[in-house]
């Protein structure tokens, strides 16, 4: 089990850099509020036809169409659909589950796994949705107007991935020793399947969620084996978000090449005390990397390593 599991549960606080779950929830809610506001404006200005025009002029450009021909004209919907909600109940339930499984995943495997898995699971689920509608004869009746939106495939990826890594991870320890993660996942899957079966196009929706779940399993299975599929994405994101930072802050401590340079620099120069960090603490971090790898470092240890390299 990775050492990151021993860290404290990340707090749900706005603007915290390493709480990727909070940032995902905020992005989804912000887009939802904007769309809801736009829908109200359409209804107030146009009247009864405003609702239909809103779906045609705005929402149709964000939802994922089931028709490949329409998808080719709007390829960005593979991504935008993952952040698009318009129903209050949909956004509420999705954000609750996103916070739930996202927090589990963040605690178990680190914040850097959250966004890559959300996107990978969501995009894979969307591809499954397109292929499923084309391949299953019973779903052909959905064409050409069927579409889908929402963060569900990304959430399913998180649920499957977190459960694969630590199925016995427990919450609410005061309740008879806690509730295992695998039970919460079963409840989520059961509720999702039950809701989908009773809705139009439910089979296509289940195909989409199946794709998201499989993506989450593959992502975390690879991570357990030491291959982080999201490393390249995280490094690119770090570079883009630090373009205007000072040169000393443009070194990504999470990237293997950057970490190797930092370690080599520290080991090749005489030790100098960094603030209140003793030499023993720095040696412990280096030993931890040698024994368990870079992924085992906590955020505090990564910052200590980076600060030490700047001196």
């Amino acid at each position: 089990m990775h050492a990151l599991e021993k860290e404290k549960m990340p707090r749900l606080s706005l603007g915290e850099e390493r709480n990727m779950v909070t940032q995902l929830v905020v992005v989804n809610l912000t887009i939802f509020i904007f769309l809801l506001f736009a829908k109200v404006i359409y209804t107030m200005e146009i009247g009864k036809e405003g609702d239909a025009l809103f779906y045609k002029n705005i929402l149709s450009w964000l939802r994922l169409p089931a028709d490949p021909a329409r998808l080719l004209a709007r390829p960005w919907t593979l991504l935008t659909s993952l952040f698009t909600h318009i129903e209050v109940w949909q956004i509420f339930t999705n954000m609750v589950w996103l916070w739930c499984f996202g927090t589990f995943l963040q605690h178990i495997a680190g914040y850097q796994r959250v966004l890559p898995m959300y996107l990978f699971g969501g995009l894979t689920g969307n591809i499954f949705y397109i292929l499923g509608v084309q391949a299953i004869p019973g779903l052909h009746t959905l064409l050409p107007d069927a579409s889908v939106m929402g963060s569900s495939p990304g959430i399913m990826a998180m649920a499957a991935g977190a459960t694969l890594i630590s199925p016995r991870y427990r919450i609410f320890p005061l309740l008879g020793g806690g509730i295992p993660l695998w039970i919460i996942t079963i409840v989520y899957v059961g509720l999702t399947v039950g809701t989908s079966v009773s809705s139009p196009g439910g089979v296509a929706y289940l195909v989409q969620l199946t794709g998201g779940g499989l993506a989450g399993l593959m992502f975390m299975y690879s991570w357990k084996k030491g291959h982080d599929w999201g490393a390249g994405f995280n490094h690119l994101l770090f570079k883009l978000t630090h373009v205007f930072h000072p040169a000393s802050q443009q070194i990504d401590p999470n990237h293997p090449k950057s970490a190797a340079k930092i370690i080599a620099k520290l080991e090749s120069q005489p030790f100098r005390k960094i603030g209140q960090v003793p030499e023993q603490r720095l040696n412990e971090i280096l030993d931890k990397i040698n024994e368990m790898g870079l992924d085992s470092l906590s955020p505090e240890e990564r910052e200590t390593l980076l600060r030490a390299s700047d001196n």
Side-chain angles (χ1 to χ4, degrees), residues 96-262:
V96 168
W97 289 116
L98 173 59
W99 177 83
C100 176
F101 290 113
T103 302
F104 294 154
L105 180 65
Q106 188 165 261
H107 187 209
I108 294 169
Y111 74 98
Q112 286 200 308
R113 253 52 64 188
V114 175
L115 183 57
M117 181 176 291
Y118 179 87
L119 295 177
F120 180 62
L123 292 173
T124 303
N126 282 347
I127 292 173
F128 267 61
Y129 173 79
I130 298 293
L131 297 178
V133 172
Q134 304 302 314
I136 302 175
L139 298 179
H140 290 174
T141 55
L142 298 177
L143 296 171
D145 298 324
S147 61
V148 71
M149 60 182 178
S151 54
S152 295
I155 298 171
M156 184 62 75
M158 292 182 182
T163 306
L164 174 69
I165 292 296
S166 186
R168 297 181 181 178
Y169 177 88
R170 294 177 178 270
I171 62 170
F172 305 125
L174 298 180
L175 299 178
I179 304 174
L181 175 57
W182 65 268
I183 292 182
I184 299 176
T185 302
I186 289 178
V187 171
Y188 170 63
V189 172
L191 291 174
T192 302
V193 172
T195 304
S196 302
V197 170
S198 60
S199 63
V203 175
Y205 181 59
L206 289 178
V207 171
Q208 181 193 34
L209 295 182
T210 299
L214 289 175
L217 291 174
M218 292 188 297
F219 189 103
M220 293 312 294
Y221 178 80
S222 177
W223 183 74
K224 281 185 66 177
K225 297 297 183 180
H227 305 289
D228 186 1
W229 290 0
F233 172 83
N234 284 323
H235 183 59
L236 175 61
L237 186 62
F238 180 90
K239 289 296 184 182
L240 293 176
T241 55
H242 288 72
V243 170
F244 301 106
H245 285 61
S248 61
Q249 297 180 17
Q250 293 183 12
I251 301 175
D252 184 1
N254 299 298
H255 194 267
K257 292 184 179 180
S258 300
K261 293 179 181 178
I262 292 173

Side-chain angles (χ1 to χ4, degrees), residues 58-127:
I58 296 182
L59 211 59
S60 63
W61 293 90
L62 300 175
R63 295 186 298 185
L64 177 72
D67 187 355
R70 293 179 60 197
L71 176 62
L72 289 175
R74 304 171 185 179
W76 58 83
T77 57
L78 280 169
L79 179 63
T80 58
S81 62
L82 302 177
F83 299 90
T84 303
H85 305 79
I86 195 58
E87 301 295 337
V88 175
W89 181 246
Q90 182 191 33
I91 186 69
F92 173 75
T93 55
N94 277 357
M95 292 306 99
V96 168
W97 289 116
L98 173 59
W99 177 83
C100 176
F101 290 113
T103 302
F104 294 154
L105 180 65
Q106 188 165 261
H107 187 209
I108 294 169
Y111 74 98
Q112 286 200 308
R113 253 52 64 188
V114 175
L115 183 57
M117 181 176 291
Y118 179 87
L119 295 177
F120 180 62
L123 292 173
T124 303
N126 282 347
I127 292 173

